[in-house]
Each structure stands twice: as structure tokens, then as C-alpha cells.
Amino acid sequence: MQGNIYSMRDTFGKLLVEMGEKLKDIVVITADVGDSSRASYFKEKFPDRYFNVGISEQDMIDFAAGLSATGFKPVVVDFAMFLMRAWEQIRNAVARMNLDVKFVVTHSGYSDSGDGSSHQCLEDISLMRVLPNMKVIIPADPADIRRSFPVIMEELRGPLYYRVGREYSPSITDGLEYDFKLGKAYVLKEGDDVAIMGAGVVLWDALRAAEELEKKGISASVINLLSIKPIDEQTIEYYARKTGRIVTIEEHSIYGGIGSAVSEVVVKRYPVPMRFVGATGFGRSARSQRDLLDFYGINYKSIISSVMELLK
Amino acid sequence: MGERDGIPISLEELNKLKEIAERARRKVIRMLFYDQTIHVGSSLSSIEILTTLFYRYVKDGKDPINRDWFILSKGHAAPALYAIMSERGLVSDDDLWKIQDISGMLQGHPETFIPGVDMSTGSLGQGLSFGIGVAQGIKMRGGSGRVYVVMGDGEQDEGQVWEAMTHAVARKLDNLIAFIEINGFQLDDSTGSVKPKEFLPDVWRSVGWKVLNCDGHDFISLISTIDEAIKAKAPVVIFANTVRGKGFPVIENTKKQRSSPDDARKYLLNA
């Protein structure tokens, strides 16, 4: 497995400081997880624009909404799971008033491996994508963060959910030349027999599966969806037509997540058989995120067996 | 409107406030002709507070940091807010009578797409946190605006109020004035029978707020208390004793929020 110099959260933390230098209206708000999320890098540079509200997620959301109402650009940084505690505040204040508040979550999916199921968040994509006005972006690796986060802060207004992991960050998009654009998917590999689609760190498994399939004479396209809401309907339709079968992979529940989002497009535009690789229950403790992905079968092996099933 | 703080009230102004409040009260009750599901009891509890704030304190303006903000955290008292807004000429009578109607602008709870509404509310316990964000934003930009938040006593059950209460003190926000209406009722029952509330002033004081008390239906009491609140160097909470359904005898001081169009007609003809 190819490594990255920085983890997902370190990359985000450093980039947040760079954006803070560029955009003076950025304020960073967290609920006592500044160090673990790397939001505290921002505090070192801009102590007056950094707020730790304490372990008070609900208050944090409306506080950010209020700052936004006076013209600031709040970036709310929290663990994915504990931000969900304030879902109703996100819904009723930020989304309902369509305020310019960005939510950046670390520790998403299984990335908080040791802490177990209370800290692992496999429901957030579904909960965020259902909200009117909310955009949902999931970078694949540190390179994808560097591509997308500046654009998000500089060009996109309104509520946006940005899903970052923790340490685990296999290289997926390094060296690829593409710019982030809202609602645009990116092709990581071209192939004719099946399309593997997903977002986040599990795209490493999508590429690995494609490699293995190649050895069996099966050619797979791999699509980095990146923008889950809005989603790239055109690209999804194109690859549904081109390959005739789709496997989705996500580090998230298959109920309401990325697979569901893709299937909503597919049934509308060009129905093809699909399989969904993802979680169906809670997580558990493990020494590494990789152990969990393998334990729950959210990996290249499951993708391969799903593809074989579709090709039968 | 607004910017009268600190100026002693004249008899003329007092009478004017009373007249406005009385007209607003009648408008809220008249809404019952058109919609029987609005929260009349909670609205009538807030009339004098809203009248006082909007006619004497809340500075209008477009600049978000040099005007005042008003947040109706107890969003179900929206009819009272709309009635005062109609007195201020922000909404028409036609709008008022279409409250909650599919063709109307005025929603069951405040929405920011309604002119003059600063925060969309309706889910309890969120207004104070938003107010803290606004007050903090004003401070950071060196603005002169103040933030007024009106909450209910039942609303104090929400855990988020605790989060916000402690947060405002940590930020030393002296441009934030919160009201808690003590009318003694929440949706299901009297507040005391649902959850005790009598310790609330002690809690707010212990946390670090300046705590004031007033009669929430008496203009002199309201004005002298708000004048004192404005001078404070800490966030201020005003416990305002009010009566649910104030002035509308068929529901006054009961948990009943609503009444019939017939009762409304009788009141409007006799009062």
C-alpha cells in the first residue's frame, strides 16, 4: 500500500491555516476536539478567530449560524459522529436559513478504529444528503483535499458537509490532473465490463479490485464521485450505459448512502444491475481502520465477488 | 423606532405603548377567526415585551453589526411578533389574516424570508445560541448592535440552553439580553408539574449572568429593567413574569393555547 506524507486530518489542518491567511472572514469553531481534528493548527495562527465552545455540539451549530449571520465564514470542525448529535440544529438553523456554514468532520467511517462503535460514524452521508440546501463532498485522499477544500472555501456559498477521515490515507489520486468542481465525478480508470463507483479512502480498494479483475480479463471503470450532493448524474449515466453494471463502495451504511445516491440516478436515467459494498450495522473496536474495513468486508475482495456475481 | 433607551418614558409614550399592545392583542385574538391552531396563549404572554422592545429599544438598519437583533426563540409566539410587525407596517392585515394559510406569507413559526424576522425558529432552545453567535460577531467587528432573545419557561428544559448559558459567560457578551417569560405553562401542563423551574434564576446567576426580574405586562417595569440590563457589563437575563393568554379570559392563565372564533368574536365585541 502506497503511503502519504500526511494523514487526512493533518492535510486538512494545514490547509485550513492556509485558507485562514487568504480569507480573513474564516472563523473556526469546534466542540473540544480541536487537537484530534487538527482544527487547533488554526488556533495557533489565528487565536482570535478560533472558538472552542466546549463539549456543546448543539450550541456550536447555532453559534456558527449566528456568526455567519454577521458576515463571517464559519468552519465547524468536529468528529463526524458527534456532529450528528446536533443534526436537528443543522437542519433547523443552518440548512433552513441556507447560511454559509461549512462542516468539516474528521473521524468519519471507521477511522476512529480503537474507540469502537460509539465513535464510528456510518450514518452521516445519509443524514446530511437528505437536508435541503446541504452539499456533501467526500475527498478520497490528501491530494483530493488539497484539490477541493480551497475551492469550497473560496467559491461555494451555503451549507456544505466535508467528510475527512483520520490517519489512514492510502494514495489514490496522487499525480492525477483534475480540478475539483461541485457536482463533478472523476474517472480514475477506464474499463468496459463494470463500473466501480464510490468516494473516500475506500477507493483504494476500488482500484485494487480493478487491478485484480484485469488479471481475470475483466475491465473495470473506477469513478471517484467526490461530490455526493449534488451528484454527477451525467457521468453515472454514461458509465451505466457503457458498462451495463455498477458496484458501489462506501465506508458508510448502504442504507441511504453513496450506493443509494447512485441507484437513485441509475433507476431514473438508465437502469442497470447494481451491487452495494458498505456497512449494514455498527462497528467495533480494532487496532486499525484497515482491520475494520477487512472485517466488515468493505474491501476489494467484496468488490470482486460483487462483480463476479453481476457477470454471472 | 428604538434608540430610546435611558430616556424617561412620558405619559404620552406610555399610553401609546398601551394602545399598540392592545391593538396587537386584538389582532392575535382576531387571527382565531381565520385559523384556530395558532398559539394564542403563548402569544398573549409576549405582547408587552415585544411592544416595548420594538418601539423603544430595537434599532433597525441594514448593517448587521450596527443594528439590533431580535430573536423569538419561543417561535410559537409568532402571532404576537406578526401582530407587532403589522403595527410597524411590515406586514399587511391581509397577510395577518392569512397566517398559516397555503397562500399566505406568515408561517406558523418565524422564517427569515418574512421581512423583519432575524432568525428562523420553532425548535426550542436554539435562539440563545444563535444570539451568542451574532453578539460575538458584532463584538469582533467592533459594532454597536445588541441582541435580544425571548425564551419561554418551558423552553428551559432544553439541554442546549445550558450549553448556551455557560457559553455566553465564557465570551463575556455584554451586548446580549435574554428574556425568560415565566408564565407557568408548557405544552402538556403547568411548568412545575412537568419539571421544577423555581431554581432557574439561581442557576443563571451562579453561572455568571446578571439576573433581573420584571412584570412582563407592565411597561414601566419592563423599561426600567431593560434600561438596567443595557448598562450591565455581563450578559443579562430578565425573568419576566407573564400570564399565558393574558387579557383573553376564556384561556387566561391556563394551559389552553386556543379558543373558538365565537369566543374571539365575543371578546372583540365586548372588549
Side-chain angles (χ1 to χ4, degrees):
Chain A
M1 192 177 303
Q2 216 185 321
N4 263 296
I5 304 164
Y6 298 125
S7 71
M8 295 294 270
R9 60 176 170 179
D10 289 345
T11 308
F12 159 69
K14 283 166 206 272
L15 205 48
L16 186 60
V17 175
E18 285 175 34
M19 296 317 297
E21 272 159 9
K22 217 165 170 183
L23 303 173
K24 302 297 176 202
D25 288 337
I26 290 182
V27 286
V28 172
I29 304 147
T30 186
D32 214 34
V33 294
D35 285 341
S36 348
S37 65
R38 304 297 187 253
S40 57
Y41 294 176
F42 192 90
K43 179 190 183 180
E44 289 159 25
K45 201 79 192 259
F46 309 107
D48 297 340
R49 288 154 60 193
Y50 179 88
F51 301 96
N52 177 4
V53 302
I55 311 166
S56 304
E57 292 81 7
Q58 303 170 64
D59 176 61
M60 169 172 69
I61 304 303
D62 287 296
F63 175 65
L67 282 167
S68 155
T70 51
F72 287 96
K73 274 180 97 67
V75 180
V76 172
V77 186
D78 200 359
F79 289 8
M81 188 67 256
F82 302 122
L83 194 73
M84 296 306 107
R85 185 188 183 108
W87 180 87
E88 198 258 15
Q89 280 75 8
I90 297 174
R91 189 257 185 207
N92 261 325
V94 178
R96 192 154 64 105
M97 290 189 273
N98 198 16
L99 296 172
D100 190 17
V101 179
K102 305 295 190 289
F103 302 94
V104 179
V105 294
T106 60
H107 299 64
S108 64
Y110 295 109
S111 64
D112 193 352
S113 51
D115 280 320
S117 65
S118 63
H119 284 55
Q120 294 159 0
C121 192
L122 304 167
E123 301 85 7
D124 53 334
I125 299 173
S126 164
L127 286 166
M128 287 298 122
R129 133 184 138 76
V130 75
L131 294 174
N133 295 329
M134 183 66 71
K135 302 170 192 80
V136 179
I137 306 295
I138 306 175
D141 60 4
D144 235 8
I145 294 179
R146 283 190 288 269
R147 232 174 247 129
S148 55
F149 190 66
V151 179
I152 281 160
M153 292 313 300
E154 286 183 286
E155 292 174 24
L156 301 182
R157 285 194 67 80
L160 186 145
Y161 187 76
Y162 194 74
R163 194 184 202 236
V164 174
R166 198 179 173 196
E167 290 304 309
Y168 178 71
S169 54
S171 174
I172 297 161
T173 70
D174 269 334
L176 295 181
E177 301 243 339
Y178 62 84
D179 294 327
F180 167 77
K181 202 166 161 245
L182 183 70
K184 178 95 181 70
Y186 299 95
V187 182
L188 300 178
K189 184 184 169 299
E190 284 287 358
D192 299 322
D193 302 323
V194 62
I196 306 165
M197 299 183 181
V201 292
V202 290
L203 284 171
W204 181 86
D205 286 88
L207 288 169
R208 173 82 192 270
E211 257 173 55
E212 301 288 329
L213 288 164
E214 209 77 49
K215 293 175 196 161
K216 297 178 201 276
I218 299 159
S219 92
S221 292
V222 179
I223 313 296
N224 176 8
L225 291 167
L226 184 51
S227 176
I228 300 303
K229 188 189 175 192
I231 201 161
D232 189 343
E233 297 204 3
Q234 270 188 324
T235 299
I236 292 171
E237 182 189 345
Y238 177 85
Y239 284 90
R241 287 179 184 276
K242 183 181 179 190
T243 66
R245 47 192 75 81
I246 295 172
V247 175
T248 57
I249 180 160
E250 58 198 300
E251 193 188 7
H252 183 273
S253 170
I254 58 169
Y255 305 112
I258 295 174
S260 302
V262 171
S263 67
E264 286 161 16
V265 176
V266 169
V267 295
K268 184 172 71 180
R269 296 179 75 130
Y270 190 79
V272 296
M274 285 184 66
R275 290 293 180 274
F276 306 90
V277 177
T280 53
F282 295 114
R284 51 152 295 138
S285 281
R287 295 281 161 77
S288 80
Q289 188 175 354
R290 189 67 227 177
D291 284 351
L292 284 162
L293 291 171
D294 289 334
F295 184 81
Y296 290 109
I298 303 171
N299 61 8
Y300 66 94
K301 289 178 189 163
S302 300
I303 296 175
I304 293 167
S305 54
S306 296
V307 171
M308 299 319 282
E309 218 180 287
L310 285 174
L311 284 166
K312 250 181 218 162
Chain B
M1 266 170 242
E3 300 183 81
R4 308 289 316 272
D5 46 282
I7 302 166
I9 186 163
S10 64
L11 191 60
E12 193 190 349
E13 189 191 346
L14 183 63
N15 286 332
K16 192 185 134 206
L17 292 180
K18 281 182 182 167
E19 281 163 24
I20 292 161
E22 200 40 45
R23 282 199 301 270
R25 174 163 277 110
R26 291 170 68 89
K27 282 177 176 171
V28 169
I29 294 169
R30 189 168 169 184
M31 287 179 208
L32 277 172
F33 289 166
Y34 307 97
D35 195 308
Q36 285 84 57
T37 68
I38 58 168
H39 297 251
V40 175
S42 295
S43 297
L44 297 182
S45 168
S46 304
I47 293 278
E48 283 77 14
I49 295 173
L50 269 55
T51 304
T52 309
L53 285 176
F54 280 110
Y55 280 87
R56 200 174 158 89
Y57 294 97
V58 177
K59 282 193 294 270
D60 287 335
K62 289 210 186 315
D63 179 359
I65 58 161
N66 290 310
R67 64 150 172 125
D68 292 344
W69 291 66
F70 174 80
I71 295 151
L72 187 64
S73 194
K74 50 170 280 192
H76 51 284
L81 179 64
Y82 301 152
I84 303 289
M85 282 162 54
S86 96
E87 286 295 310
R88 296 169 65 209
L90 291 172
V91 299
S92 69
D93 279 3
D94 185 50
D95 287 325
L96 278 189
W97 314 140
K98 280 189 179 160
I99 184 169
Q100 297 192 160
D101 189 81
I102 188 73
S103 68
M105 169 179 66
L106 301 180
Q107 304 296 297
H109 293 83
E111 297 273 1
T112 45
F113 61 71
I114 300 166
V117 172
D118 283 342
M119 180 193 182
S120 297
T121 53
S123 171
L124 293 172
Q126 299 196 31
L128 187 59
S129 298
F130 183 85
I132 293 168
V134 172
Q136 177 67 37
I138 289 170
K139 287 234 159 215
M140 287 169 79
R141 298 243 198 256
S144 64
R146 285 195 196 98
V147 181
Y148 297 94
V149 180
V150 172
M151 291 180 278
D153 44 5
E155 185 175 4
Q156 303 305 305
D157 292 353
E158 291 282 8
Q160 190 181 346
V161 174
W162 170 259
E163 296 183 357
M165 186 201 304
T166 46
H167 189 192
V169 172
R171 304 253 162 266
K172 302 183 174 68
L173 297 172
D174 57 3
N175 54 350
L176 176 66
I177 296 175
F179 285 80
I180 299 175
E181 284 179 29
I182 304 293
N183 65 33
F185 291 95
Q186 52 198 96
L187 196 55
D188 265 359
D189 218 326
S190 67
T191 49
S193 67
V194 178
K195 249 185 179 182
K197 305 279 189 295
E198 66 274 8
F199 52 75
L200 282 170
D202 291 336
V203 171
W204 286 74
R205 193 176 294 112
S206 303
V207 164
W209 285 66
K210 185 173 176 68
V211 176
L212 300 173
N213 294 282
C214 76
D215 177 337
H217 296 300
D218 182 285
F219 290 109
I220 306 271
S221 174
L222 277 164
I223 289 168
S224 61
T225 310
I226 298 168
D227 283 348
E228 190 182 343
I230 284 168
K231 286 183 212 133
K233 294 285 169 239
V236 182
V237 59
I238 298 172
F239 283 82
N241 290 310
T242 62
V243 177
R244 180 113 98 151
K246 171 76 176 176
F248 190 27
V250 287
I251 61 167
E252 193 174 80
N253 205 25
T254 72
K255 73 166 195 171
K256 278 178 74 180
Q257 282 284 20
R258 289 134 191 171
S259 188
S260 65
D262 255 10
D263 284 338
R265 189 168 294 115
K266 277 181 205 148
Y267 171 87
L268 293 169
L269 288 173
N270 295 329

